[in-house]
Amino acid sequence: MTAIDRYHRRSIRLRGYDYARAGAYFITLCTHDRSDLFGRITNGIMELNACGEAAQRCWDALPEHFPLVELDAFQIMPNHVHGVVVITDGNPPLGTTHASPLRGSRPHGPMAGSLGA
């Protein structure tokens, strides 16, 4: 497998769908190389380590950074997280996107107010 093949994944996003549209979105985020970064499961119970606790704080803080976002179910696993993010009706914020660098005068990265942002 070449380096190009390794990092090229087929997108499961719907072509032409507006991911800034109000709705509930199920997301899964995996760690690099699926390493057990967030803790471990002992006797069927997820025990968070410091990284897992940081991931929980980041999840809990999302509405502070994105006022049109509400949080629903969330589960941290040793090497991934699952969550439901609800984008509510309203006008997406103007300007740059969160945590996206600026090059020149126009923002790059995900559209402000979208699931990717």
Side-chain angles (χ1 to χ4, degrees):
M1 173 182 295
T2 69
I4 292 173
D5 293 333
R6 180 177 180 182
Y7 297 107
H8 180 74
R9 297 181 347 171
R10 183 181 63 83
S11 176
I12 61 170
R13 293 186 178 174
L14 295 175
R15 184 170 295 202
Y17 185 80
D18 178 7
Y19 283 92
R21 187 173 155 185
Y25 298 91
F26 179 81
I27 59 168
T28 299
L29 302 171
C30 299
T31 61
H32 178 70
D33 289 334
R34 301 225 187 233
S35 61
D36 289 347
L37 183 64
F38 300 126
R40 65 182 180 186
I41 297 175
T42 305
N43 296 324
I45 297 172
M46 179 62 195
E47 296 178 348
L48 300 179
N49 60 18
C51 288
E53 290 171 1
Q56 182 69 58
R57 287 191 303 273
C58 287
W59 174 263
D60 293 339
L62 283 173
E64 297 169 24
H65 300 281
F66 303 96
L68 299 180
V69 165
E70 294 177 1
L71 302 178
D72 203 307
F74 181 65
Q75 179 63 53
I76 301 174
M77 299 303 291
N79 63 6
H80 65 282
V81 298
H82 296 291
V84 177
V85 174
V86 179
I87 299 177
T88 61
D89 284 325
N91 295 322
L94 300 174
T96 62
T97 59
H98 180 73
S100 295
L102 286 177
R103 293 184 191 134
S105 62
R106 69 180 187 114
H108 289 262
M111 181 179 80
S114 71
L115 182 63

